[in-house]
Amino acid sequence: CPELRWSHAGLELADSYCFDPHKWLLTGFDCDAFWVADRGELIEALTVLPEYLRNAATETGAVIDYRDWQIPLGRRFRALKLWFVLRWYGVEGLRAHIRSGVALAGRFADRVAADDRFELTAPHPFSLVCFRLRAGDEASADLLRRVNDTGRVHLTHTRIEGRYTLRLAVGSPRTTEQHVDEAWNLLTAAAEDLLAA
């Protein structure tokens, strides 16, 4: 999305870049998008070229031997699943999906920011919102357990500056405002019970 490209400012100066498309690009695990500025250096570091693999096409550079881009000699066709997503959604479909996730995360973050019991713990320019109860680590951990035990949503946690932090990630193309609102309602109801105890 053009409006999110600021996050990659300076990428043209990188020697290599990779990302896992399993979230926003709707592709299952074990697929990595990998770019290198100079493939020669990568190949030089990883290549193993016994006599039985030598051939004219390789020697002249007519083919790219991807076996030299990694440690294993063979590789699964991991890119096929990403290719199907790109073909199905197209650029505009993926942009719409990403924009929807960003908007839904923003909706959720606005609710967190408006409730004095909670605090945002990190910026949320994309589809991940990190937040916690102001009551501290134990209360936040208990809140996560209570909400996840409902089976209605699944949030995860991390630590930011040593503090226990809850994470809400919007990734599914089927996520709607109703789902985000339900997550918020579960959180606020559980927080009310927890803080009243």
Side-chain angles (χ1 to χ4, degrees), residues 1 4-14 17-19 24 126:
C1 297
L4 298 176
R5 290 182 186 164
W6 59 266
S7 65
H8 285 73
L11 187 60
E12 68 278 5
L13 304 174
Y17 176 74
C18 69
F19 68 93
W24 268 353
F126 304 121

Side-chain angles (χ1 to χ4, degrees), residues 122-184:
H124 54 88
F126 304 121
S127 64
L128 173 68
V129 181
C130 296
F131 64 102
R132 61 183 266 117
L133 279 173
R134 292 183 189 273
D137 287 0
E138 287 184 35
S140 294
D142 195 16
L143 177 63
L144 178 67
R145 183 191 53 76
R146 289 177 185 221
V147 169
N148 283 348
D149 283 352
T150 68
R152 297 295 305 154
V153 298
H154 180 77
L155 304 180
T156 58
H157 78 280
T158 191
R159 288 195 177 267
I160 296 179
E161 297 180 356
R163 301 180 316 168
Y164 193 93
T165 299
L166 282 68
R167 301 170 74 243
L168 178 127
V170 179
S172 171
R174 300 185 73 183
T175 302
T176 66
E177 289 182 354
Q178 179 182 345
H179 297 113
V180 170
D181 293 348
E182 180 181 3
W184 178 247

Side-chain angles (χ1 to χ4, degrees), residues 20-193:
D20 187 344
H22 82 270
K23 289 188 174 137
W24 268 353
L25 295 184
L26 307 169
T27 304
F29 277 115
D30 201 26
C31 176
D32 182 71
F34 182 45
W35 174 86
V36 291
D38 181 0
R39 71 179 185 204
E41 290 185 23
L42 178 65
I43 292 168
E44 185 177 322
L46 298 174
T47 191
V48 176
L49 192 58
E51 190 60 35
Y52 60 86
L53 291 178
R54 294 183 186 275
N55 60 74
T58 297
E59 300 290 327
T60 63
V63 297
I64 297 174
D65 286 316
Y66 288 108
R67 68 168 186 264
D68 296 328
W69 292 49
Q70 62 189 355
I71 294 171
L73 178 61
R75 59 190 288 138
R76 295 184 300 276
F77 195 2
R78 295 178 177 110
L80 183 61
K81 52 189 157 192
L82 178 56
W83 182 84
F84 278 121
V85 170
L86 295 171
R87 291 286 296 173
W88 180 261
Y89 281 85
V91 172
E92 289 307 316
L94 285 171
R95 284 179 178 154
H97 166 64
I98 290 169
R99 287 175 176 137
S100 173
V102 170
L104 290 170
R107 177 185 180 90
F108 182 83
D110 288 345
R111 292 184 175 212
V112 172
D115 191 315
D116 291 338
R117 298 171 294 182
F118 292 89
E119 64 181 332
L120 294 167
T121 57
H124 54 88
F126 304 121
S127 64
L128 173 68
V129 181
C130 296
F131 64 102
R132 61 183 266 117
L133 279 173
R134 292 183 189 273
D137 287 0
E138 287 184 35
S140 294
D142 195 16
L143 177 63
L144 178 67
R145 183 191 53 76
R146 289 177 185 221
V147 169
N148 283 348
D149 283 352
T150 68
R152 297 295 305 154
V153 298
H154 180 77
L155 304 180
T156 58
H157 78 280
T158 191
R159 288 195 177 267
I160 296 179
E161 297 180 356
R163 301 180 316 168
Y164 193 93
T165 299
L166 282 68
R167 301 170 74 243
L168 178 127
V170 179
S172 171
R174 300 185 73 183
T175 302
T176 66
E177 289 182 354
Q178 179 182 345
H179 297 113
V180 170
D181 293 348
E182 180 181 3
W184 178 247
N185 291 338
L186 287 168
L187 283 158
T188 55
E192 188 173 321
D193 291 344

